[in-house]
Amino acid sequence: MKRRSFMKHAGLSLAAAGALAAPAIVRAQSAVRWRLASSFPKSLDTLFGTTEAFCKRVAVLTGGKFQIRPFAGGEIVPGLQVLDAVQQGTVECGHSASYYYVGKNKAFAFDTCLPFGLSARQQNAWMYRGGGLAALRELFRDYGIVNFPGGSTGAQMAGWFRREVKSLADLKGLKMRIPGIGGEIMARLGVVPQTLAGADVYPALERGTIDATEWVGPYDDEKLGFYKVAKFYYYPGWWEPGAQVSFYVNLKEWEKLPKDYQQAFETAAAEAHLHMLAEYDAKNPPALRRLIKQGVQLRAFPEDVMKAALKSAFELYEEEAARNPIFAKIYAQWKAFREEQYQWFTVAELSYASFAFPQKTP
Ligand code: CA
């Protein structure tokens, strides 16, 4: 009797142990750990802060099972090699600005912004509802990557100038740190564009090796201290009317990911996208006030600079479309969408903003 009772209990406890072990195995199978390479330094809390918040959100949404560890630019790979690192599988995912990779294909610029392109809101409309995301996913697929919008800076400033630009003629021979397509267009206006990594910009401007630099906007620019060595702060940053940053995922890793983790990633990316723009919009006005207190002089680009830049930009796009099939395909669709957005925003948004924004509150 005693022995039978023992066997019965032993059987039960074995069954109980089995029942407990099963979900443990399921848990073990579904724990996923990824590494994320960011292009941005830790000091830029707008950009890298968004990356960190994104990783925390993914973990919370998956009950702690899907952990993504963020690494700042340079920690695993240099900031401008994030796309390559994700493509090669060095890391499972990344956070970057796609216009860093226009050297591979100019069409990558559509994922960030083109000079005289879309504002942050218009970019959202294009990405989520205007065919932009689908078009860009085709481009990224060729690099073994799936991409997600992951933040925006909004419209940027044109940057810091040691001397005033009063007309187009003043751009002749001006040495300016301005990378990418913006730099190519500036070159057509007589500027000598320079590509310098973030840390090298301030000393070059201080020494006068360069005459001007662009960066982002008041909040980020203040941190880098450009106002100490160049007093004229120009607007608008026509080459970045709404710069979008993106999350990249290695396609093979993405396909292995459980569906609910994919949903968590996508949801957290969309949240990051919204929050980054909110952060820039909230932090830029007080930063600009502080800069003006330091003696910074705000200046608008002269009309002839703006007109020449607009003309050169679209000449460059037409030239690129003639030799680059994927650029041509995205450009045609993007251009038609932009045309319609510009018409609509002129009616409802611009008419309101151009009257109300400069008015004194009664
Ligand atoms: Ca910029």
Side-chain angles (χ1 to χ4, degrees):
M1 184 67 185
K2 260 187 177 171
R3 186 181 145 84
R4 269 180 65 198
S5 174
F6 170 78
M7 290 301 286
K8 204 172 145 192
H9 277 101
L12 269 175
S13 52
L14 276 175
L20 285 170
I25 289 163
V26 170
R27 270 202 300 274
Q29 279 171 339
S30 60
V32 175
R33 284 178 187 279
W34 278 9
R35 298 194 305 169
L36 180 150
S38 166
S39 286
F40 313 113
K42 281 189 176 145
S43 56
L44 294 179
D45 59 331
T46 40
L47 290 157
F48 192 71
T50 298
T51 317
E52 290 175 311
F54 161 80
C55 293
K56 280 186 191 142
R57 187 62 105 199
V58 169
V60 168
L61 288 173
T62 57
K65 288 187 249 171
F66 184 14
Q67 297 277 347
I68 304 174
R69 188 170 166 204
F71 292 87
E75 286 190 322
I76 298 177
V77 288
L80 302 184
Q81 287 172 27
V82 168
L83 187 140
D84 307 77
V86 176
Q87 181 183 6
Q88 289 155 13
T90 312
V91 289
E92 291 82 5
C93 60
H95 197 203
S96 189
S98 303
Y99 64 1
Y100 294 152
Y101 312 104
V102 291
K104 296 177 191 296
N105 193 324
K106 273 207 171 66
F108 277 116
F110 290 106
D111 191 49
T112 313
C113 62
L114 263 66
F116 294 103
L118 306 173
S119 71
R121 265 182 64 191
Q122 293 167 344
Q123 178 79 5
N124 279 348
W126 183 59
M127 290 299 284
Y128 291 122
R129 294 291 183 271
L133 188 57
L136 288 162
R137 288 236 166 116
E138 260 186 68
L139 171 69
F140 276 96
R141 183 167 274 273
D142 289 344
Y143 295 79
I145 288 173
V146 56
N147 59 299
F148 301 85
S152 175
T153 65
Q156 296 196 4
M157 290 292 281
W160 302 87
F161 290 69
R162 286 163 60 94
R163 51 187 162 85
E164 281 188 88
V165 177
K166 291 187 171 162
S167 74
L168 189 55
D170 290 340
L171 290 183
K172 201 133 206 85
L174 184 123
K175 293 196 284 296
M176 179 175 184
R177 182 263 175 199
I178 173 170
I181 294 178
E184 283 188 47
I185 296 165
M186 276 295 201
R188 293 179 182 208
L189 307 186
V191 167
V192 186
Q194 320 274 318
T195 303
L196 295 173
D200 302 331
V201 182
Y202 183 92
L205 192 63
E206 187 179 30
R207 281 197 306 270
T209 315
I210 57 173
D211 306 302
T213 185
E214 63 89 52
W215 190 249
V216 180
Y219 184 76
D220 289 342
D221 294 11
E222 184 188 27
K223 290 190 169 186
L224 297 183
F226 299 132
Y227 64 92
K228 293 173 196 158
V229 288
K231 286 289 174 216
F232 300 106
Y233 197 20
Y234 272 83
Y235 62 89
W238 46 261
W239 50 94
E240 286 168 290
Q244 176 181 281
V245 297
S246 293
F247 290 103
Y248 304 155
V249 181
N250 179 285
L251 193 55
K252 285 191 190 124
E253 295 297 333
W254 179 254
E255 283 164 355
K256 280 193 275 178
L257 206 60
K259 287 277 172 285
D260 50 342
Y261 290 11
Q262 288 185 345
Q263 292 276 311
F265 191 101
E266 199 161 358
T267 301
E271 185 186 61
H273 189 51
L274 176 72
H275 284 189
M276 189 190 288
L277 184 60
E279 189 144 331
Y280 272 110
D281 284 341
K283 286 180 167 174
N284 277 328
L288 183 60
R289 265 202 311 276
R290 289 192 296 273
L291 288 168
I292 289 169
K293 257 192 181 160
Q294 297 285 339
V296 166
Q297 308 261 318
L298 278 179
R299 291 285 185 279
F301 270 138
E303 181 94 359
D304 63 347
V305 169
M306 295 299 292
K307 282 190 171 156
L310 176 65
K311 185 167 173 282
S312 292
F314 279 83
E315 282 168 5
L316 187 149
Y317 306 153
E318 297 295 337
E319 287 164 23
E320 186 62 20
R323 63 178 168 234
N324 179 345
I326 193 153
F327 185 96
K329 189 178 165 193
I330 301 175
Y331 177 61
Q333 196 268 343
W334 174 91
K335 195 180 172 191
F337 192 84
R338 174 190 177 277
E339 206 62 44
E340 216 169 56
Q341 288 290 303
Y342 272 35
Q343 284 171 18
W344 162 234
F345 271 67
T346 301
V347 175
E349 298 285 338
L350 180 67
S351 61
Y352 174 75
S354 61
F355 169 76
F357 289 6
Q359 301 290 318
K360 277 210 157 54
T361 307

